[in-house]
Every structure is written in C-alpha cells, then in structure tokens.
Amino acid sequence: MGKVSGISKILHLETVDSTNLEARRQAMEGAEDGLLILCDNQTAGRGRLGRRWSSTEAAIAMSLLLRPEIDADRVSMVTIIAAMAVRDAIFKVTGLETDIKWPNDIKYHDRKLAGILSESVFRGKEFYTVLGIGINVNNEAFPDEIKEIASSLRIEAGRSFDKDELTEAVWESFFGYYGILLRDKDLRSLTEAYNRSCITEGGINEYGELIMADGSLKRSGEV
Ligand code: BTN
C-alpha cells in the first residue's frame, strides 16, 4: 500500500483477535492519531450489536485509530463518511455500484459486502475512535448461517481483486471526506452524496441521523 495522507503508521499483523481490539490496545499505549492496523487473519472479529464477524485472508479487516476534533456525541458522523469511502473504493477498483444501508452497511443486490464498526473510548473530555472496516473481497463462499445474506466482490464481479489497492482507495477517499468533516464539524456538504447512495428510506441530516417518516431522528442502531 502506498502512502496515504492522514495515515501516520501502518501495523500489519499476520493474525490478531480483532483489529479493533488491537487498535484500542495501541491507543492505551499512547499510539498516534492515524495509526492503521491491517491483518491477514482475524480470529475474534467483532460486528455491530455484539455480533461476530468472521474474517479470513480472503477479506480485508482493518482498523484506524482517530482522535477527531469534533463533538464526542457526534462521532457517528465518522462512520457515515467511512461508508461513503468504502463505497467509492469498491466502485473505483471493481466498477460495482453498491448501496449504503444506513448507517454503514455496504450492500450489493441486498447482500452485505462490507461492514463498519466504530468504537469510541472516552476519558474526561478526550476521546479516541477506532474505525473498523471489514470488506469481503476474494471470499468464494460463506458459512451456512450467513450465506443467504453475505457476498463478496469476487462473487459479484466474477474475478479477484488486490486487497492493497482497495485498502489504499478506501483511505484516500476517507481522508478527503474527513477533511471536510473536520472543517465543517458536520456533514452539510456530504449529505446529498450519501443520500444518493443510501437505500434506507428518509436519508440523513447534516449530523448523520436518519430522518424517520414521522420526522423524528435516529442516531444509531438498526432499521
Ligand atoms: C458489522 O457488523 O457490520 C460491522 C463489522 C465490522 C468488522 C470489522 S473487521 C475489522 C474490524 N475489527 C473487528 O473486530 N471488527 C471490524
């Protein structure tokens, strides 16, 4: 992977329990903003809402450590732009036009290709965020319990892809959006682009909250 502005250091591990957990361990040791953890195999990958996320060498599993200068209670905006970046990267490398299911599932023909788990740790006024991204790249098959709902870029496009190229494309796009987020402190310049790719009814407002049919707002969870 080439140099991406915004990434301060890359740690590539052969096997790790979870790249999110590793990034948190590194953060506790004082690791800098922009540390990227990459791995070949994840033995205890974590999904949203306490689920597991299995991940082999065929897939991308990575986590970025960020210390964002935004309101701590608006940190979910980071996962919104991560979903946009994963979608952009998939399009750039494979040509597949994926959908975003709010807040941050990447789907193709209703099958999940990628997931994002961001976890924030607060200490007083300070906090850091670990942005974990899993992308099913060259997987040829999935375990029975998810085979009806998951897919990979290889299955959908009929050929395999270079994980490094895709990884670089994700972070190139992410840091473009992240600069805009840090400048505006909200997503006002990005909501339109997100909503164009978002298949969840209602779309988001400038804070990444889902606008429900009755006008109420949903900040996290599932719909
Ligand atoms: C989801 O449930 O949709 C989120 C899945 C997130 C998986 C990624 S893989 C890299 C990072 N490390 C983890 O343990 N989880 C995230």
Side-chain angles (χ1 to χ4, degrees):
M1 198 181 109
K3 184 124 188 65
V4 174
S5 129
I7 295 180
S8 56
K9 184 178 167 187
I10 298 178
L11 197 59
H12 193 145
L13 305 166
E14 204 179 293
T15 302
V16 67
D17 49 358
S18 148
T19 54
N20 268 32
L21 288 176
E22 180 59 28
R24 287 172 66 160
R25 288 191 287 265
Q26 297 279 338
M28 283 192 301
E29 307 272 300
E32 251 184 88
D33 179 83
L35 168 70
L36 177 64
I37 312 283
L38 301 175
C39 77
D40 297 334
N41 293 287
Q42 221 182 199
T43 54
R46 291 135 49 94
R48 292 177 66 230
L49 311 169
R51 297 182 188 127
R52 282 189 312 126
W53 180 272
S54 59
S55 160
T56 64
E57 228 173 321
I60 289 175
M62 59 187 176
S63 300
L64 179 75
L65 172 64
L66 289 173
R67 301 182 188 275
E69 287 181 5
I70 52 174
D71 255 9
D73 63 341
R74 297 280 185 210
V75 72
S76 58
M77 296 189 294
V78 174
T79 59
I80 293 282
I81 59 169
M84 295 173 74
V86 171
R87 183 184 186 278
D88 289 353
I90 291 176
F91 180 65
K92 183 174 174 206
V93 174
T94 71
L96 295 175
E97 286 237 43
T98 55
D99 301 315
I100 301 176
K101 180 173 173 257
W102 181 88
N104 47 27
D105 280 353
I106 305 297
K107 294 195 155 191
Y108 188 74
H109 294 164
D110 217 30
R111 284 178 184 252
K112 188 152 153 172
L113 292 177
I116 299 169
L117 174 68
S118 79
E119 300 180 283
S120 295
V121 177
F122 300 86
R123 195 186 293 146
K125 271 195 172 155
E126 286 192 9
F127 72 100
Y128 64 80
T129 296
V130 169
L131 179 59
I133 298 182
I135 308 176
N136 301 329
V137 184
N138 295 320
N139 312 56
E140 291 180 72
F142 289 92
D144 278 354
E145 55 294 3
I146 54 168
K147 70 171 194 239
E148 305 294 331
I149 53 169
S151 192
S152 72
L153 300 178
R154 182 187 173 135
I155 292 169
E156 298 303 335
R159 65 186 182 95
S160 49
F161 296 97
D162 182 44
K163 289 198 318 179
D164 279 356
E165 189 188 348
L166 197 61
T167 299
E168 189 170 326
V170 168
W171 298 117
E172 285 282 3
S173 171
F174 175 81
F175 280 105
Y177 294 133
Y178 191 58
I180 296 172
L181 171 58
L182 294 185
R183 181 196 68 196
D184 294 347
K185 307 291 181 201
D186 63 34
L187 300 172
R188 76 190 81 152
S189 326
L190 301 172
T191 44
E192 213 180 291
Y194 179 93
N195 286 338
R196 263 200 306 273
S197 326
C198 179
I199 50 170
T200 312
E201 218 180 314
I204 59 164
N205 67 9
E206 71 273 34
Y207 298 116
E209 296 163 321
L210 186 70
I211 304 164
M212 308 293 286
D214 63 1
S216 65
L217 299 170
K218 200 168 159 70
R219 186 173 290 182
S220 62
E222 249 179 326
V223 283

